[in-house]
Each structure stands twice: as structure tokens, then as C-alpha cells.
Amino acid sequence: MTTILETQDLGYYYGDGTVALENVNVKLEEGRKVALVGPNGAGKSTLMLMFNGILQPKAGSVLFRGQPLNYDASSLRSIRRAVGMVFQNSDDQLFAPTVYQDVAFGPANLGYSAEKVKRYVTYALAYVGLSGYERRPPHHLSGGEKKRVAIAGILAMEPEVMILDEPTSNLDPATSEEIMEMLEELNLGGKTLIISTHDVDLAYRWADEVILMKDGGVLRRGSGPEVFGDSELIKEARLKLPIVVDLYQELAGRGLVDGPKPPRNILELCDTLEQGCKGRAPSSSTAEPIEPGKIYICNVDELEAPQIIAILEKIQPSCKGAMGTSAKVMAEGAGIALDFTYGVIDKCILKALIGKSSLIMTSGGMVDHAQNRIRDYCRESGAVIEAVRLSDGAN
Ligand code: ADP
């Protein structure tokens, strides 16, 4: 794996003498989803501001692709293009009178022609699901829409790394999940993502790597189960356990489940529990095994809305979900009522396990991602769930 960002003995104190970071040594690998977690004042925001040169170290250094950052104007321009930052409060980021002008600000500053700027803005707004919003004033938008505009403004600069400070703060749960799913999609497209969050459930299920911070230093780093599986450590950091871990530990305490690491998500928790129950079921149990439902996957890049509607009439799935912006836009335009708009793959697997069929509408690299996730789940759990890729008229 290639290290994309690194800190060496990094230290920072603010003008009033407050020490915000001390001796921070972290290496972030390219293409990962990283969550910085920790209580207020742990130093998460300060560290993020140092990753793209907004703050300059008072001790140690920050390296991008192995090279220490320089802080002259031209070096800063290039690092801020490569490492884009989305602030916690969108109102701190959005300042232009229209959405178009806001998103165009970055590419225009890079000296692109008006035609090229337009292309980048159109692409970025379509990616975040805000085509048609170009003339709207950002301050009239909802919190979720403002966050999308802020993300589009960074995307339009084609960054390699995107840093998002508390990306879901002040958003309702469904909007938060949709933003996180959009970040998942960006990551599947190859972007390295770094978020900070207090939301331990979100960090646990979303991040490949969790960096737990406290008092300006790193307490622990590792996968979600490695970091959050240590309840003493989590208490020390004044955080709470993710609900899946908390429930797992309660069940383990009663001897109902066991295993070296807590499950990653509800799906794995249900499987662990089911295994435990099977071990205990009386041998005379006569319950019929459930025939798993099928999961249909359709690529909205390859099918028109009327074709999808025709397919839906034919297969009559028990539930329907959409992953990614273009699938959601297509479902809305076609009047297809969605049961799931986030966590779609796992929810469809859970439905399949109780015998219900489902349809996942998605696009691009997410199609393979969905199919791989179902295949990996089946391989690990021993379940047999058929994932059927749909094309026009077939199936
Ligand atoms: P977090 O993002 O984890 O809440 P911060 O990086 O914001 O942590 O803060 C780390 C420490 O630096 C805290 O003690 C905080 O009070 C202090 N701090 C943050 N910003 C400033 C500032 N502008 N001036 C003085 N102290 C600050």
C-alpha cells in the first residue's frame, strides 16, 4: 500500500499557548476510509487543518506522498488542490451568490478556461445530485444540500484526498447516511477519505481505519473492531461503544455469543447470534429452513426508467433500494418508491435471509461492489443468496 499522508512528530499550539497536538505520528494509506474519533478538544480538527497546509506545524512535519509540505503560496495551492477540505459548518465554506459560482470558485482559481470550469462544475453537481441547482443561492438550501454543494466545490478540483470535518453534524439521520454513502461511492472511485466524527456508530461501520485521539495525541489506531472492541480504552477516551459492539458484549457476557472480535454490523451480529442459537436448538427442532430470497441488481447506466419499471412488474421484489446519486435520481424521476436509500446491500441481504427478494438500483463501480459484497457474505457465512444482474428484457 502507498502512504499518501504522513505526520512525523507533529506538534501544534495556538496563539494563546493551548497545545492542540503533540508528537503525532500517523501514516495514512492511499484509497482508505479513515475516521478520526475522539472527544471534544482531542485535536482532530487541528490535525485535519494541518493535512492540507491551512495550519503550519510548530514542530515536526506533514508529508504528502513522501514529500514534506512547503508553505509558500504556490506549494499551498497545489496541496490544497490534492487534499480538499470540507468544513464542518457549510456556511463557513459557501460564500458565492449562486451554487454555480461557489462550485466554480476552485477550478476558476486554477486558471481553467470558462468552458473547462463549466464542465467540471456540471460533473461535480451531477455527482452530488444537484443538477439544476446552479442558479440557487446556497444560503437558501437545506443543511444536506449545502453539504452537497460544499462537497461538489472540492470535487470540482479533482482532489486525491478529501477531508471532511464532522460531515454529518446537524444533518438528520437519513441525510447523514446518504452523505456517507456518497463518500463510500467516491472511495470506490479511488479517493482517499478522512473524516472526523463523534458518531461512533458511523465511524465503526464506515471506516477501514479508526484513529482514536485524546489530548492532542493518538491513543490507538486500527480497524473498527480493534479500536472499539476495547471498552476500557473507549471509556478512557470519553466515548461510548457503538451499539453493535455494546449489544455484542452484553450477549457475550451472558454466554450467548463468542468470538475474538465483535461483529462489524447488524448483519454480522445477526449471523453470530443465529450460529449461537443453532448450537443450542433442541435436536428435535422441526423448523423448516427458509429458502433465501434473490437480490436483483440493475445498473441504471444501462437501463432507461421504463425498462426498470417493466422489470419491476415482472420480478415483483418485496423491497427496493437505490445506491448512489444517479440511481436515486432515476428512482425519483420514475416514481419508484424506495424502501432503502442507505446501507442498501446489507439490508437486502437481511431480507434475503428471511426469504424476501429485493432489487438494488445502482450504477458504475457500485454494481460490482454490490455483487462482490453479496458473494463475500455468502462465502463467509455459508448462506446461498442468488445475486442476479439484470439487463433489458433478460431474466
Ligand atoms: P477537536 O476537533 O478534536 O474537538 P480541536 O483540534 O478543535 O479538537 O482542538 C484541540 C485543542 O486546541 C483544544 O484544546 C481546543 O480548545 C484548542 N483550540 C482549537 N482551536 C483553537 C483556537 N483557534 N485558538 C485557541 N485554541 C484552540
Side-chain angles (χ1 to χ4, degrees):
M1 279 206 173
T2 310
T3 299
I4 195 158
L5 275 168
E6 182 177 352
T7 66
Q8 292 179 346
D9 301 328
L10 188 66
Y12 190 82
Y13 51 87
Y14 284 95
D16 62 359
T18 306
V19 177
L21 294 176
E22 221 173 356
N23 272 325
V24 173
N25 290 286
V26 288
K27 276 188 183 181
L28 306 184
E29 309 300 338
E30 187 169 16
R32 307 266 285 170
K33 289 176 290 181
V34 180
L36 302 180
V37 296
N40 285 332
K44 305 180 295 294
S45 304
T46 306
L47 180 58
M48 291 181 137
L49 292 170
M50 303 193 85
F51 279 142
N52 81 343
I54 293 175
L55 296 179
Q56 191 168 347
K58 303 285 190 190
S61 49
V62 178
L63 290 81
F64 177 69
R65 294 201 178 280
Q67 297 301 314
L69 299 196
N70 289 313
Y71 294 87
D72 59 278
S74 133
S75 307
L76 284 177
R77 248 195 318 277
S78 68
I79 189 69
R80 285 181 195 157
R81 180 189 174 185
V83 182
M85 173 102 191
V86 177
F87 293 104
Q88 176 175 356
N89 183 352
S90 304
D91 292 325
D92 291 343
Q93 190 139 14
L94 308 176
F95 55 86
T98 68
V99 166
Y100 184 94
Q101 285 165 297
D102 227 305
V103 179
F105 181 79
N109 257 2
L110 295 173
Y112 294 170
S113 67
E115 185 273 324
K116 191 169 172 185
V117 169
K118 187 167 180 212
R119 223 172 341 115
Y120 278 63
V121 174
T122 305
Y123 159 78
L125 284 176
Y127 196 97
V128 301
L130 292 183
S131 299
Y133 278 59
E134 289 78 355
R135 289 162 184 267
R136 306 261 297 262
H139 56 276
H140 284 172
L141 302 178
S142 70
E145 288 165 343
K146 283 182 187 172
K147 188 60 77 183
R148 285 171 190 268
V149 176
I151 292 173
I154 299 303
L155 258 187
M157 312 243 286
E158 298 196 295
E160 296 170 61
V161 182
M162 289 178 73
I163 300 183
L164 300 100
D165 196 356
E166 296 276 354
T168 59
S169 66
N170 300 323
L171 300 181
D172 63 57
T175 307
S176 299
E177 293 292 346
E178 285 172 20
I179 295 288
M180 294 316 293
E181 198 193 81
M182 193 162 75
L183 300 185
E184 176 93 30
E185 195 176 351
L186 284 166
N187 177 254
L188 282 170
K191 297 224 187 293
T192 307
L193 293 172
I194 307 168
I195 65 162
S196 71
T197 184
H198 287 111
D199 185 337
V200 291
D201 293 298
L202 181 152
Y204 186 70
R205 74 172 172 273
W206 180 83
D208 301 318
E209 177 167 7
V210 174
I211 299 180
L212 177 61
M213 296 185 69
K214 187 175 175 242
D215 297 337
V218 173
L219 272 186
R220 176 81 59 88
R221 39 184 306 206
S223 68
E226 279 163 358
V227 174
F228 286 107
D230 185 341
S231 30
E232 283 307 310
L233 184 79
I234 297 304
K235 207 189 301 166
E236 184 189 335
R238 298 172 47 78
L239 294 176
K240 61 179 187 137
L241 290 176
I243 189 80
V244 172
V245 180
D246 203 2
L247 182 54
Y248 175 80
Q249 291 189 349
E250 285 300 325
L251 292 168
R254 294 171 188 222
L256 293 169
V257 292
D258 63 8
K261 273 195 287 183
R264 272 299 307 216
N265 47 44
I266 298 225
L267 179 57
E268 281 185 26
L269 177 61
C270 289
D271 284 350
T272 312
L273 205 48
E274 192 178 31
Q275 292 308 321
C277 291
K278 272 190 187 145
R280 277 152 210 276
S283 53
S284 59
S285 171
T286 53
E288 283 289 318
I290 295 171
E291 170 88 9
K294 287 183 185 170
I295 302 179
Y296 298 94
I297 304 170
C298 85
N299 184 345
V300 301
D301 293 338
E302 292 172 358
L303 295 164
E304 300 294 330
Q307 293 171 308
I308 297 179
I309 290 170
I311 288 170
L312 274 173
E313 278 170 10
K314 195 163 151 191
I315 61 177
Q316 302 272 339
S318 304
C319 36
K320 304 175 273 299
M323 282 163 62
T325 307
S326 47
K328 283 174 192 150
V329 169
M330 154 99 72
E332 196 181 329
I336 297 170
L338 296 171
D339 303 289
F340 310 134
T341 54
Y342 54 87
V344 173
I345 309 174
D346 281 12
K347 286 182 179 155
C348 290
I349 293 176
L350 283 163
K351 289 290 175 195
L353 293 173
I354 54 168
K356 298 204 184 292
S357 65
S358 55
L359 173 80
I360 299 177
M361 295 172 65
T362 188
S363 62
M366 309 272 273
V367 177
D368 286 335
H369 173 63
Q371 201 160 24
N372 293 340
R373 167 85 184 114
I374 297 164
R375 191 198 51 217
D376 291 349
Y377 172 78
C378 288
R379 200 183 45 231
E380 281 161 24
S381 67
V384 182
I385 299 171
E386 201 181 338
V388 185
R389 265 170 107 135
L390 294 170
S391 52
D392 175 28
N395 317 105

